[in-house]
Amino acid sequence: MSVLIFVDTAEGHVKKASLEVLSYGAKVAEQLGTTAEGVVLGNATEDLAALGKFGVKKIHQVNNEQLAHLDAQVYTNVIAQVAAATGATVIVFSNNVDGKAIAPRLSAKLKAGLVSGAVALPETANGFIVKKSVFSGKAFAHVSIHSAIKIIALNPNAYQVTEGQGSAEVMAFNATVPTPKVKVTNVSKASGEVPLTEAEIVVSAGRGMKGPENWGIIEDLAKALHAATACSRPVADAHWRPHHEHVGQTGIAIAPNLYIAIGISGAIQHLAGVNRSKVIVVINKDPEAPFFKAADYGIVGDAFEVVPQLTAAIKKLKGVA
Ligand SMILES: Cc1cc2nc3c(=O)[nH]c(=O)nc-3n(C[C@H](O)[C@H](O)[C@H](O)COP(=O)(O)OP(=O)(O)OC[C@H]3O[C@@H](n4cnc5c(N)ncnc54)[C@H](O)[C@@H]3O)c2cc1C
């Protein structure tokens, strides 16, 4: 019996979401009186032993060229092998893009109950009950898992990273890696330096910007904050911005530490994709805009006046010209 945590990496680096699941999985292991172990697929360039600070005792690394890019079928197969070898009874993923692709497949393969979108530690005193977010964060469900193997996909930003002392034993795991049915031939970044789903800070804008020619001030602010850019759906539909920037119910769901919404009204379908952000700042000229109800901080004002001033103030604070 052990808790196995999938440690997600990008370009060799451990993602922040993985630190959250490592901390979470270690706590679950503590609750169950067992140990937490991590699994890393591909060539991680980071010091994996250092992940012991987040509570894992062992890291199983499967370093194989076929694992350089996520292939959900191949990853599922390999993780199943690691789970069998380690006798994992609880397997934890981040409910991010990779976790959403792998966890359901692994659940089917291992005949394991899966709770995706978990937001809290499981209650283990009487059974195994996981609290999850439902209806785009409007409600919570408590789900009891009865299968021998249990899989949890934890929502990003739902659990605090806890860093302590310690070092993990890094072990090479000799897996049989199946030949992928598809092959990634080329990867080119869509835009900007910071991927939207991984960004700590997101600067997002809506129809209040009037047209694509005005996005310069949004990009300047994003650059000053080292943030990713996003947009509301009508903006993407009108081709003012690319579709991969569209956040919301029908777009990407994100959970950055800081979400700055500029000239966005705050329709429920937009909020559905951003309401897990830790801090929300709204800039809108209409004091009655619904977004202010969801905001931690609000600026009532014209974006064309407020945003350049904000960018200048941030640059001054950072000592950048
Ligand atoms: C089934 C369905 C799914 C949907 N999915 C999504 C989704 O995933 N994501 C999404 O975003 N929407 C989605 N929508 C659309 C959603 O309902 C809203 O229509 C949309 O979010 C509004 O976009 P907006 O806030 O950019 O534009 P608007 O509603 O037009 O709001 C523009 C805002 O800008 C402000 N403004 C104007 N000028 C300025 C200025 N100079 N300075 C500051 N503020 C200014 C206005 O006061 C206003 O609040 C969906 C709708 C449906 C029916």
Side-chain angles (χ1 to χ4, degrees), residues 92-105:
V92 185
F93 290 87
S94 171
N95 197 33
N96 60 5
V97 175
D98 291 7
K100 280 177 183 165
I102 307 166
R105 287 182 164 90

Side-chain angles (χ1 to χ4, degrees), residues 205-210 231-235 246-251 262-270 283-286 289-290 301-304:
R207 220 153 33 180
M209 293 310 296
K210 319 285 187 229
C231 68
S232 66
R233 176 171 154 172
V235 162
H246 154 202
V247 289
Q249 185 184 311
T250 45
I262 303 161
I264 302 177
S265 56
I268 188 158
Q269 296 90 355
H270 184 87
I283 301 170
N284 197 304
K285 70 175 185 185
D286 175 8
D302 187 331
F304 297 94

Side-chain angles (χ1 to χ4, degrees), residues 134-212:
V134 289
F135 301 124
S136 302
K138 289 268 168 258
F140 298 104
H142 295 259
V143 184
S144 175
I145 312 183
H146 298 287
S147 52
I149 299 176
K150 300 160 178 65
I151 302 179
I152 302 173
L154 176 73
N155 266 351
N157 261 345
Y159 193 79
Q160 185 80 34
V161 174
T162 40
E163 193 172 338
Q165 304 281 321
S167 170
E169 185 184 353
V170 181
M171 305 161 82
F173 187 93
N174 196 5
T176 307
V177 180
T179 308
K181 293 192 180 70
V182 291
K183 189 169 181 239
V184 177
T185 51
N186 181 37
V187 176
S188 51
K189 280 194 181 173
S191 78
E193 293 170 20
V194 190
L196 186 51
T197 49
E198 294 301 316
E200 299 275 343
I201 305 176
V202 173
V203 176
S204 185
R207 220 153 33 180
M209 293 310 296
K210 319 285 187 229

Side-chain angles (χ1 to χ4, degrees), residues 48-109:
L48 297 178
L51 298 179
K53 286 187 294 191
F54 304 98
V56 277
K57 298 284 176 233
K58 289 179 189 167
I59 294 287
H60 304 277
Q61 185 176 18
V62 189
N63 197 351
N64 182 301
E65 220 177 278
Q66 311 269 43
L67 301 169
H69 298 285
L70 170 73
D71 179 307
Q73 288 173 331
V74 174
Y75 271 43
T76 301
N77 187 304
V78 172
I79 295 168
Q81 293 175 49
V82 180
T86 56
T89 46
V90 178
I91 306 170
V92 185
F93 290 87
S94 171
N95 197 33
N96 60 5
V97 175
D98 291 7
K100 280 177 183 165
I102 307 166
R105 287 182 164 90
L106 190 66
S107 157
K109 193 172 178 68

